[in-house]
Amino acid sequence: MAKAAWSEFQEAVKKVLNQQRGVCAETNKRIPGTRTHHDIDVYAKFTALGAPITWLIECKLWQTRVTKEKVLAFHKIVEETGADRGLLIAENGYQSGAFEAAENANVELVSFQDFERRVGEEVAISRLTDYISRLAVLHHRYWQHPKDVRKEYDLRLDPYSMGGSVYKHYPIRSIIGS
């Protein structure tokens, strides 16, 4: 990612966010603050626990480390616009004072690689949660059918053809409970 142009860097961040279901990310968004408008590299909105969430993301593809002053200025923008969180994504890291400035603020300092990994984990967790929920629904529906219907449509697994208990191969009860 280090050789990518700044706009490509922004687009890569947007793409990672838009992989997450329910996230709508845009690049180069102008948003109002209390005193003026601000140009944001990547603007993301989504809903969590029924509440709208807004993230502002600044992409720094600089040759130098991000300074404390840049973090403080970005924190002020996050605060002024009412965003829930600000992310500074920098490929060449941060000066030590930058971490101090972000410590008690709603601004997080990450590399693109860490950002991509964390969002990827969230996507995987979300998909697995959906699969488990769907499996629970299917399990419930399966057992609502009378035994003769399950036999007629060949819905029953033959535990002996699998060399023992079907639950050894398909541990559904351990996933969704009895």
Side-chain angles (χ1 to χ4, degrees):
M1 183 55 66
K3 294 186 181 189
W6 171 68
S7 62
E8 292 172 344
F9 189 44
Q10 285 183 170
E11 290 298 323
V13 169
K14 178 181 118 177
K15 182 179 177 184
V16 168
L17 284 167
N18 283 333
Q19 289 174 357
Q20 180 77 340
R21 186 172 3 112
V23 175
C24 180
E26 304 172 56
T27 54
N28 301 316
K29 176 105 173 160
R30 178 171 272 252
I31 61 171
T34 54
R35 297 182 191 140
T36 186
H37 285 78
H38 301 280
D39 295 320
I40 304 301
D41 292 347
V42 182
Y43 176 87
K45 286 197 79 83
F46 57 96
T47 302
L49 301 174
I53 304 293
T54 302
W55 283 4
L56 306 183
I57 301 156
E58 285 295 305
C59 303
K60 303 298 183 196
L61 194 58
W62 294 352
Q63 297 299 315
T64 59
R65 294 176 176 212
V66 175
T67 64
K68 172 183 174 178
E69 291 75 23
K70 291 295 180 187
V71 174
L72 291 171
F74 183 55
H75 176 255
K76 187 68 175 168
I77 292 169
V78 171
E79 208 173 56
E80 190 178 295
T81 59
D84 298 287
R85 176 163 296 281
L87 293 170
L88 263 167
I89 303 175
E91 281 304 278
N92 284 321
Y94 305 89
Q95 293 179 357
S96 59
F99 288 107
E100 288 177 24
E103 194 171 307
N104 293 317
N106 57 341
V107 172
E108 197 171 337
L109 311 180
V110 295
S111 69
F112 180 78
Q113 186 177 13
D114 288 341
F115 169 75
E116 189 174 36
R117 180 187 48 78
R118 284 180 38 201
V119 172
E121 288 170 0
E122 289 296 322
V123 168
I125 289 168
S126 175
R127 287 181 181 158
L128 284 173
T129 301
D130 289 347
Y131 292 148
I132 290 170
S133 296
R134 182 70 179 142
L135 183 60
V137 168
L138 292 172
H139 180 261
H140 177 73
R141 287 182 181 170
Y142 172 82
W143 288 108
Q144 283 185 327
H145 295 295
K147 186 175 186 176
D148 58 329
V149 170
R150 294 192 308 264
K151 282 173 113 178
E152 179 184 345
Y153 289 97
D154 198 25
L155 299 176
R156 295 181 53 190
L157 294 172
D158 180 5
Y160 300 106
S161 68
M162 302 177 123
S165 171
V166 70
Y167 293 111
K168 180 168 68 176
H169 299 283
Y170 298 100
I172 196 167
R173 286 197 176 133
S174 67
I175 294 172
I176 62 173
S178 299

